[in-house]
Every structure is written in structure tokens, then in C-alpha cells.
Amino acid sequence: MPTIGELHEVYSNNPNGLLQTINSIYDRIEKEGLKPIWISIVPREKVLKRVEELLSISQDDRDAYPLFGIPFAVKDNIDVIDLKTTAACSSFADEKATKSAFVVCKLEEAGAIVIGKTNMDQFATGLVGIRSPFGICSSVFHKNFISGGSSSGSAVSVGNGLVTFALGTDTAGSGRVPAMFNNVIGMKPTRGLLSCSGVVPACRSVDCVSIFAETCKDASIILSVAHGYDENDPYSRQLSFCSSPWIISSKFRCGVPTKSTRQFFGDTENGELFEKVIKTVETELNGEIIEFDLTSFVKVANLLYKGPWVAERYASVGKFIDEHQSDIDPTVFSIISKSKSYSAVDVFNSMYEIEKLKKETKELWKNFDVMLVPTAPRTFTIDQIQQSPIELNTQLGFYTNFVNLLDLTAIALPAGLRQDHLPFGVTFISHSFTDQALLLLADRLHRCLSTFIGCSTTHLLSNTQKLSMKENDEQWNCFLIGVVGAHLSDLPLNYQLIERNARFVRKCRTHQEYRLYALSNTNPCKPGLIRVNGSQGSGIEIEIWAIPNEYLASFVNLISSPLTIGNILLDDGQSVKGFLVESSGIETAKDITHFGGWKAYLNASEG
């Protein structure tokens, strides 16, 4: 299926483009059948009425609908009006939903079109995609291999081009593992950024709605539309911005697990592919690779299924499965029913344990900005999972289970094909509310590693738009500051930036009217920059740094007279806040403009 941008271009150039797109989807579903991808679909007639409504919107007004005419699918634990929400258990849904989930409404208000509800591991319990009475979804690359779960149908619907994007849910990795096995983007947003109102919970305290898309740009558009505070969801959160100076820096710190703490459970090729990805991050994305011990994160991951958090699944659907055991997948029943054995004491002890582990992992995070891990250690055939359903499921969550418990954000992306033509994938992970920064980074890597979208022949680089970035975007929660003197890289006061987690962005020059002076009686020696109208020169060398907003006040407080902060015009016409000098400060100062910068002056003085 074409991306959002491609479809909008089709709709602009072809008056019948939207109608043809929707009819082609339904024609294909009628030919291929509902199972195993779909559990239910919106009737064609109803969707065609929706198309008529959208086509009545004038061309000039369509910009107000960023998802105009974009078809999408919804995992069947998320409500869609007039369809039953089964969570892959028919007897669970007595009535059709009387309204759509909050997030579905947001998407439809933006012009998107719901096609139907997708298959899943029953009650979102599993990472395999085989625990459903509606059939087993397989990888779009091979019918004998698992699609991953629990959001199996959603990932497959995007991977095989039935829809442009799909909603899933993610508790332990259900929005990421299926993304790897079907060669698509899996966006696990910050918890609470997308409302869970109208979603059947698995573990309510750590659940989130996830996004499957063909590109990071599409995922970014969908996320910007779908997020929103929902007062009816007790876990909904207002959009905030985590300081992310690393995304606009010339270099970022990328944490990768040490080889001794990586796990591929017997698969050798995925380990080799992961090494190649690490090299690509280092050479193509200018990432500084920092190895760390994954052990503390694995301990957190173990708590999700080997600790009392699994009892939260019983709180959600336990009574129902006890009363309807014959309708429940045996593995799902075993996992949820056994959770009754945990006591309140167990819960508190595990809460104490996870707080301890949070402190351990927080110390590790001081060393890197983002984490890069394989999305899953390996893949399995459907037969292998059926023979060992719990053990192999646990292996699949090795790199995913800790993310929501630690309130992290993650983007799973395709990372090339194996020799057996099955897809490999990796995941970028960082702090909550770094969603857009992670998407930017993931888009860059996706374009380095992948050729085609999903299992199609659509070329990623030539057919899709890359995700662009603005240095001064407020969502990076950073302040750009220009330095020309002692705060330059490797000079005496640069540490004041470094200790505040500031990052070097770029080197450039000021407008030609600026003059530079060596100030008197300063320790360490400092220059003063001042603009003189009509002055002619080649500009002064300046470095742009990004400093997190929370550290700005303490940094500015260090500045003493005659230096000040003001607007500096650059030679490219842009302006930046930076160090200037009061006019009184240059009365006894030496004009050193002809050196072109402070470092050149210092080098000449030493010589």
C-alpha cells in the first residue's frame, strides 16, 4: 500500500483515486478471505459512504485532514463502533461497540478510514501470533514462520500492503516483535501518550497503543494526530518533551549490550547482522558506540512474566476466563490463571525490586543517549512455537519485556534480510517523551539498512520521503547557543557546557559585520563579540551548542560583565542566541577580528 504522502499525491491527481484505493482493498479481502488477518471488517457499503463524505471536502480544505483517505486497521482489543471487540475470543464480545476508542476517533477526525479489526494473540497474551481461534498469522515472508504477536494481524496487514498503517498494543513487545518478522516500523510510544480508553487491558499499568507503519515519516504523522490527553483514561499523560540535544548534535552516544550479555538463543546469523548494524550506526550515523551490561534490564524484563505483574492480567480478564475456559487458548489460560498464586506481599516485594533496578539502569543511562538492541533474538517456525509455547515466547521478549516497566520509548525498524530471506530488525530505545527524536534516528538508520518496504518491491529510498528535522524545534527541549571564546570545544570553559549535558551541533561563521576583541583582565582569557554596522570582514568562527532547557538558567548565571547574551546573525542569514560583549567592554580591548576567530588568535599568540 502506498505511504501517506504517496496516497495524497494520488488523490490530488486522480479524482477517483480514493474510491479505487478503497475498492481495491475490499476486492483483495474478498479474494483472500478474512482469516487469518482479519477478525471482522467494516462493511464495504459503510466505508464507501465514508469515502463520499471525505470527497465532499474541497481540495483547499483537505490540508486540515492530515490522514485524508488513509486506510488503516485496528487490533481487535481496541473498540471500533458497530464492530465487536473480541480480543480473539468470540464469547468475550456480547454486543457491538457503541463508540470507537479515543485513539480511533482521533484518527478518523483527521480523515483516516477504518477497514476492520485484526487478529491477535488472545487477550494480548503472547509474542507469537498463534494463540487465536481465528487462525494463525504467519510472517509475510514465509508461511511456516510466525508473524509475531500479540499484534499479529495488524503487523501483517501493513507488511503485505493491505493498509497504510495499523494500530496494535504493546505490553511486553507486541508492537515491536511482529514489526521485525514482517519488515515494518513498530512504534511503541511513550506510555500514556496515546489514550487506552476503549482498549481491553492486558496489564493496565504498563499497556500502550502502538503503531505499525511502512516508514518512520508515516509513524510520525500518525503519532502527531493520535496523541492527546484523555481525562477518561487514568494513565493518560499530557504531551511533554524530554531534552534530546543528541538528535541535533553532530554525534550521539549509542549504547549496545556487551557481547557477553547479548542473547540469540542458538541463532548465529542474527548476531552477525546485529554487528553490521552497529557498524552502520558508527560509520553512517556518526554514533559513538558504548557497550554496557544488559543484566539489570534483563532482571526487569523477568519481572513482567515471572513476577506479580502477570497477576494484572487476571485483574483484567481473570473472572471471564475462569467462567469460559473452553473458549480460551490453553497457553493463555495457563499463564493468566496461574497468576492468582501471587500475593499482595509478592507485589510489594517486586515493587521494591523494580525501584532498585530502576536506579541501576538510570546509572547506565548516564553513559549513552539511546540504546540499540535486536528487536528479537531470533525467529521460530509455527511448529516450534506449538511444541514449546512458553519457553520460546519468553526468548522472543528478551530485548522487549523491560521497556514499558521502565517507562521507555522504542522504535523497531527493519534491518535487512537474512540469507534465508527472513527479515531481521533492530530497536532504538530511549527515555519517555523522546518519541519524535527516536523516529528521526530510526528513519536515518532504516534508509541505510533497507531496500524495500514490507514484502513489496516498493523501493524505500526512491518512493518515500525522509523525516526532516529543525534544529530549533521545541520538542527537543533545548536552547541553541552560539559560543566564540573560552566555551569553544577543548577550551577552558567548555566543561560548563559538557557538565550540563550540552552537545555540539555545528561550526559556522557570523555575519561579516561582527568584530572580535581580546578583553582585558579576564581569567581565563576571553574575547568579546560585537556587531558594527557597515563593518566588512569574513565573519567570526562560532560554534552552535544545544543545551537542555533545564540547565539554561544555571549556565546563564555563570556569565559575568561585560559579556552578555544576545542575538547573533550568522552568515547564512539565520540567527542564534550567543555571547556578545557590552560596548563598554571593548574600550581597552584589542581588535583581533582579522584572525577570524578566537582559536586562531590563541594559536598565533602561542606561536
Side-chain angles (χ1 to χ4, degrees):
M1 178 62 63
T3 62
I4 294 172
E6 291 174 303
L7 279 179
H8 282 167
E9 187 174 348
V10 169
Y11 299 162
S12 296
N13 297 329
N14 179 4
N16 296 318
L18 176 53
L19 184 63
Q20 291 171 351
T21 297
I22 298 303
N23 274 324
S24 69
I25 294 171
Y26 277 87
D27 290 345
R28 185 173 165 189
I29 292 173
E30 288 181 1
K31 180 180 178 181
E32 297 176 359
L34 285 183
K35 296 180 180 180
I37 298 174
W38 305 94
I39 289 179
S40 62
I41 60 171
V42 180
R44 187 195 294 241
E45 296 74 19
K46 183 176 180 179
V47 171
L48 292 180
K49 288 182 180 179
R50 167 79 167 148
V51 169
E52 289 180 15
E53 294 172 359
L54 289 171
L55 291 176
S56 68
I57 300 171
S58 70
Q59 194 74 39
D60 292 340
D61 292 335
R62 289 182 186 179
D63 286 344
Y65 298 86
L67 297 177
F68 179 89
I70 305 301
F72 74 106
V74 178
K75 186 177 180 178
D76 200 23
N77 59 344
I78 304 173
D79 287 344
V80 171
I81 190 170
D82 293 333
L83 294 180
K84 290 184 176 182
T85 302
T86 72
C89 179
S90 296
S91 58
F92 183 70
D94 293 329
E95 305 289 340
K96 295 178 179 178
T98 57
K99 64 178 182 179
S100 293
F102 182 93
V103 66
V104 174
C105 291
K106 295 272 288 183
L107 295 166
E108 288 189 303
E109 288 166 4
I113 300 175
V114 180
I115 300 300
K117 309 287 289 295
T118 54
N119 203 355
M120 57 182 284
D121 279 326
Q122 197 173 66
F123 296 115
T125 303
L127 292 172
V128 291
I130 74 166
R131 300 170 183 171
S132 170
F134 294 94
I136 295 174
C137 287
S138 58
S139 166
V140 295
F141 286 83
H142 199 293
K143 64 180 182 179
N144 292 341
F145 284 81
I146 61 171
S147 63
S150 62
S151 308
S152 52
S154 290
V156 170
S157 69
V158 176
N160 71 7
L162 273 165
V163 291
T164 299
F165 74 94
L167 296 182
T169 58
D170 190 306
T171 304
S174 297
R176 291 163 278 156
V177 171
M180 170 171 154
F181 295 161
N182 294 284
N183 207 43
V184 298
I185 299 296
M187 170 79 191
K188 191 223 76 69
T190 296
R191 271 183 8 219
L193 197 55
L194 303 189
S195 168
C196 283
S197 290
V199 179
V200 178
C203 295
R204 189 185 296 270
S205 65
V206 293
D207 286 345
C208 67
V209 173
S210 66
I211 298 167
F212 295 98
E214 296 174 318
T215 67
C216 290
K217 183 174 179 63
D218 277 7
S220 176
I221 294 170
I222 297 155
L223 181 67
S224 67
V225 168
H227 82 79
Y229 181 73
D230 177 10
E231 62 182 12
N232 293 317
D233 176 7
Y235 288 97
S236 183
R237 297 156 84 175
Q238 296 280 7
L239 177 62
S240 180
F241 297 127
C242 178
S243 295
S244 308
W246 48 268
I247 195 61
I248 50 179
S249 172
S250 61
K251 198 177 189 72
F252 70 98
R253 301 173 303 165
C254 183
V256 300
T258 58
K259 289 184 179 180
S260 62
T261 57
R262 296 176 202 170
Q263 268 286 9
F264 295 97
F265 298 102
D267 187 295
T268 56
E269 188 174 355
N270 281 357
E272 294 171 356
L273 288 172
F274 186 57
E275 286 288 350
K276 290 181 180 179
V277 174
I278 293 171
K279 192 66 177 177
T280 300
V281 169
E282 189 173 31
T283 58
E284 301 296 325
L285 273 62
N286 202 28
E288 179 186 359
I289 303 301
I290 298 170
E291 291 196 345
F292 70 96
D293 189 319
L294 191 67
T295 303
S296 295
F297 293 93
V298 174
K299 289 179 180 178
V300 173
N302 290 337
L303 288 172
L304 189 62
Y305 276 105
K306 297 179 181 178
W309 270 272
V310 74
E312 198 170 3
R313 293 180 183 268
Y314 191 85
S316 299
V317 295
K319 182 180 179 184
F320 176 84
I321 71 165
D322 284 345
E323 295 173 351
H324 299 80
Q325 183 175 352
S326 61
D327 297 331
I328 310 302
D329 176 89
T331 303
V332 173
F333 183 83
S334 173
I335 292 169
I336 297 178
S337 62
K338 286 180 180 178
S339 67
K340 289 184 289 184
S341 63
Y342 289 104
S343 68
V345 173
D346 294 326
V347 173
F348 279 106
N349 283 334
S350 289
M351 289 172 64
Y352 304 149
E353 176 66 12
I354 202 167
E355 290 303 315
K356 171 178 167 289
L357 291 169
K358 283 179 179 179
K359 289 184 181 295
E360 292 180 10
T361 59
K362 188 176 181 179
E363 286 299 308
L364 292 169
W365 274 109
K366 291 179 180 179
N367 300 314
F368 47 85
D369 306 307
V370 300
M371 181 191 301
L372 177 72
V373 296
T375 299
R378 59 170 300 174
T379 188
F380 297 103
T381 64
I382 293 170
D383 287 344
Q384 285 173 321
I385 294 293
Q386 288 174 330
Q387 291 169 17
S388 186
I390 294 180
E391 179 187 357
L392 299 189
N393 187 97
T394 301
Q395 292 180 12
L396 290 174
F398 185 80
Y399 296 108
T400 59
N401 283 356
F402 61 83
V403 173
N404 276 340
L405 282 174
L406 293 175
D407 195 18
L408 301 171
T409 301
I411 314 290
L413 62 133
L417 298 180
R418 296 158 44 94
Q419 291 183 3
D420 58 11
H421 303 293
L422 292 173
F424 177 63
V426 295
T427 298
F428 276 128
I429 302 170
S430 194
H431 304 290
S432 56
F433 298 108
T434 59
D435 303 74
Q436 290 294 347
L438 272 187
L439 280 167
L440 274 162
L441 192 60
D443 186 57
R444 295 170 190 168
L445 186 58
H446 188 199
R447 292 175 179 279
C448 291
L449 300 175
S450 297
T451 304
F452 302 107
I453 293 175
C455 67
S456 73
T457 57
T458 301
H459 201 280
L460 175 66
L461 294 181
S462 60
N463 288 73
T464 66
Q465 296 177 329
K466 68 179 181 179
L467 197 53
S468 59
M469 177 192 72
K470 295 180 180 178
E471 279 184 0
N472 59 351
D473 197 313
E474 66 172 349
Q475 64 190 333
W476 314 141
N477 202 34
C478 295
F479 185 86
L480 293 179
I481 189 165
V483 300
V484 295
H487 288 92
L488 290 167
S489 301
D490 302 319
L491 293 189
L493 297 184
N494 184 249
Y495 78 92
Q496 294 179 348
L497 289 167
I498 298 297
E499 68 183 9
R500 287 166 176 78
N501 203 29
R503 302 299 174 84
F504 173 77
V505 177
R506 58 190 172 95
K507 184 186 295 184
C508 52
R509 303 193 76 81
T510 69
H511 185 269
Q512 63 183 9
E513 291 186 333
Y514 285 89
R515 303 199 70 80
L516 192 67
Y517 292 83
L519 303 180
S520 305
N521 302 317
T522 59
N523 185 26
C525 296
K526 300 171 186 174
L529 183 72
I530 193 166
R531 185 175 182 181
V532 178
N533 289 335
S535 178
Q536 297 292 320
S538 58
I540 303 300
E541 184 177 271
I542 184 172
E543 289 181 359
I544 311 300
W545 286 70
I547 182 170
N549 286 343
E550 60 263 35
Y551 296 121
L552 180 61
S554 70
F555 180 72
V556 172
N557 196 46
L558 297 172
I559 301 170
S560 58
S561 181
L563 296 180
T564 185
I565 297 291
N567 291 316
I568 300 176
L569 183 65
L570 304 179
D571 62 355
D572 63 1
Q574 297 183 63
S575 64
V576 66
K577 305 291 183 184
F579 281 86
L580 294 171
V581 66
E582 299 168 354
S583 57
S584 61
I586 62 172
E587 291 176 355
T588 60
K590 178 182 178 182
D591 190 331
I592 58 171
T593 305
H594 60 284
F595 287 98
W598 183 240
K599 282 188 175 182
Y601 167 74
L602 292 178
N603 290 336
S605 299
E606 291 174 359

